[in-house]
Amino acid sequence: PGAVVYIKYGVKESPGSDITYYDSNTTADTVAHYEFPDLKAGDYYLFAVGFDSTQGKVVSGGIPVLISKKTETVEANVPVTE
């Protein structure tokens, strides 16, 4: 909850952990739900940064996402590590 999720358009691989390389961002709500509405079909890379309160540490991680159809809803859990 409260993690910031960044998105990079048109890529299959991570552009890195420097958030200035990403095109947009959103903040996950209290149940870790986030969304980027109105995306076109294509490749995207998601990168998230949050705080793990059980360990008291900042965590981050990323995952590539493919949207096959404009009308498709894609759910992606972004895996994170310390």
Side-chain angles (χ1 to χ4, degrees), residues 5-81:
V5 183
Y6 299 88
I7 188 168
K8 180 68 179 173
Y9 307 133
V11 298
K12 294 179 181 181
E13 295 184 15
S14 170
S17 59
D18 183 343
I19 60 172
T20 64
Y21 292 141
Y22 291 83
D23 298 309
S24 187
N25 68 75
T26 190
T27 302
D29 64 18
T30 58
V31 292
H33 174 264
Y34 66 92
E35 65 180 67
F36 291 96
D38 302 320
L39 295 176
K40 298 178 181 178
D43 291 300
Y44 298 89
Y45 194 86
L46 300 176
F47 178 72
V49 178
F51 185 77
D52 183 339
S53 60
T54 62
Q55 296 184 23
K57 296 182 180 182
V58 173
V59 294
S60 64
I63 188 170
V65 174
L66 171 65
I67 298 177
S68 300
K69 297 181 253 177
K70 172 70 175 136
T71 58
E72 180 178 27
T73 298
V74 175
E75 294 186 16
N77 292 320
V78 181
V80 295
T81 59

